[in-house]
Amino acid sequence: MTDVAISGVGMTDFESESDRRLLELAAVAAERALADSHHDSDEVTSIHVGNALTEALGTGTGIGNALVSELGMEGVAVDRVENTSATGASACHRGIQAVGSDQSEVALVVGVEKMSVAETQEVTDAISQLVHDREYAQGLTLPSFAGLAAGAYLDRYDAPREALGAVAAKNHRNGLANEFAQFQKEITVEEALSSPVVADPLRLYDCCPMTDGAAAAVVSEDGPVDVAAATSATGTHAVAERRDPLEIDSVRTAGERAFEAAGLTPKEIDFACIHDAFTILELLELEELGFYDAGTAWEAALDGETAVDGEFPVNPGGGLKARGHPLGATGLSQIVEVVWQLRGEASADRQVPEADTGLAINVAGFGNNSVCTVIRA
Amino acid sequence: MTGVRVDEAFRCEQCGATWYYDKHHCPVCASHEYGTTELDRGEVLSRTTVEMTPPDVRSPNDLALVRFGDVQLIAQLADDGVSTGDTVEFAGEYRLREGDDKTRPRLRKVTQ
């Protein structure tokens, strides 16, 4: 496979409600990524657009083609990728595959979502339709799965709820240092533990918000950072079919494939952007990826090991919890953060010292599908 | 899941494997010959009370992840007095979502 690099990245602010239209958000992120790269827009040979919810929220179909015209780039090849919450990383994966297989020379990947166009309950219902029919019949939502997994985790490992609160507090602290983050507000563990219950034992501050925003990357053969691996894997559609509620096979498999492709072990990764749609997921994914043994990530969270100045920084950009979770853009915003960290361009309060290799894991549904990207300086 | 009841799983007529969430063919032997089987008693592996639910779902929504032999599923609890490790069975008639055209059973604790 041809060597693949990330030659430029950019993103919009992540906000609860953006003044920009869906296509404007995408165009702003695309222009920022192109401006950050050494490529002009007329060198772009393919565009890969990640968007999850436009049909469900009634903001139009055919957004790939519409975005091309918004950018005045008619003639270029374009496609649209949808993989629920992992849409952003899947779009990037498609661009990496296109360049790696010599099917495209310069691929522009853009992930975008505008969730504020509908009422919160409508968006929740649109997202809850990604579950299995028999799960939907029981009124299950993604927080339901997270609550069941969190209860099982705390129970099995005799872990305190403070460990979940510590994940939320840490990611908020990192978000405070990220000017693009939706929440730039510090919270205490106590505040997290006393916020309203969403799905017991998870509370409001254990859950990511709904977000408007876009993120983009330019993928080509040369650039300041290289793609060491981009892999994906699927798991069961129905969450209850997993023999152990604390296992997320798609994360484990995507990670194993990524480490093998990159020729690296978890110990050689300097920091990670983990899909913390719920605080419990940060712990489970760290364990599935082999960064921590099963049942030990909660201690690392409590001990500050995963803080920016800790042994293994996790979610230096604030994660989904604080940076926000615009479904189609999230995976790309993780990749943007990894690239900024590797180039030493993150703000001082969240810059991981001497970062050479970073990993991002973007997860669809509650582990239906996972996309793992490893990038090195 | 056309026609299949909440308290039924699928059962392969060739190899006897059971599963709950629809498959095009038996996940073990790939046979297309399968019917349904009634679920008896299961063990609660984890439970949660969901406070924030979609518009047509009750709030709070008490749920449990339950193992019935080889079959695992998540379903609504009839009441909140159920803990991890309890034995449950499907019973009663309830509307699981507003607008459902018929009633279905919920999980209830089995007291020996």
Side-chain angles (χ1 to χ4, degrees), chain A residues 255-284:
Chain A
E256 284 170 355
R257 288 175 181 165
F259 289 124
E260 192 184 336
L264 295 169
T265 64
K267 286 194 176 5
E268 292 171 285
I269 305 289
D270 298 315
F271 68 99
C273 290
I274 299 292
H275 192 97
D276 59 324
F278 306 98
T279 50
I280 182 63
L281 281 179
E282 181 167 310
L283 303 179
L284 294 179

Side-chain angles (χ1 to χ4, degrees), chain A residues 121-122 124-125 128 132-141 143-145 147-152 155 196-201 204 236 238-245, chain B residues 1 4-6 8-10 20-23 45-57 61 63-65 67 69-76 84 96-97 100:
Chain A
Q121 286 199 326
E122 282 177 62
T124 304
D125 197 47
S128 73
H132 192 283
D133 288 350
R134 293 192 90 169
E135 293 177 325
Y136 186 81
Q138 299 286 340
L140 299 192
T141 54
S144 318
F145 300 130
L148 288 164
D155 202 35
V197 174
V198 171
D200 180 58
L204 190 61
T236 66
V239 173
E241 280 187 338
R242 300 169 197 164
R243 210 56 195 157
D244 184 335
Chain B
M1 56 176 273
V4 66
R5 299 198 327 244
V6 161
E8 285 178 335
F10 297 100
Y20 191 74
Y21 296 96
D22 311 49
K23 310 279 178 199
L45 303 182
S46 184
R47 56 144 299 150
T48 185
T49 301
V50 185
E51 300 285 349
M52 297 182 190
T53 58
D56 57 353
V57 177
N61 192 17
L63 298 167
L65 168 65
R67 178 177 293 168
D70 288 336
V71 166
Q72 281 180 198
L73 56 89
I74 299 169
Q76 295 184 4
T84 299
L96 302 188
R97 293 186 78 115
D100 272 1

Side-chain angles (χ1 to χ4, degrees), chain B residues 73-95:
Chain B
L73 56 89
I74 299 169
Q76 295 184 4
L77 292 166
D79 57 76
D80 58 10
V82 175
S83 313
T84 299
D86 283 350
T87 300
V88 290
E89 63 186 4
F90 280 105
E93 292 184 33
Y94 306 91
R95 285 201 200 275

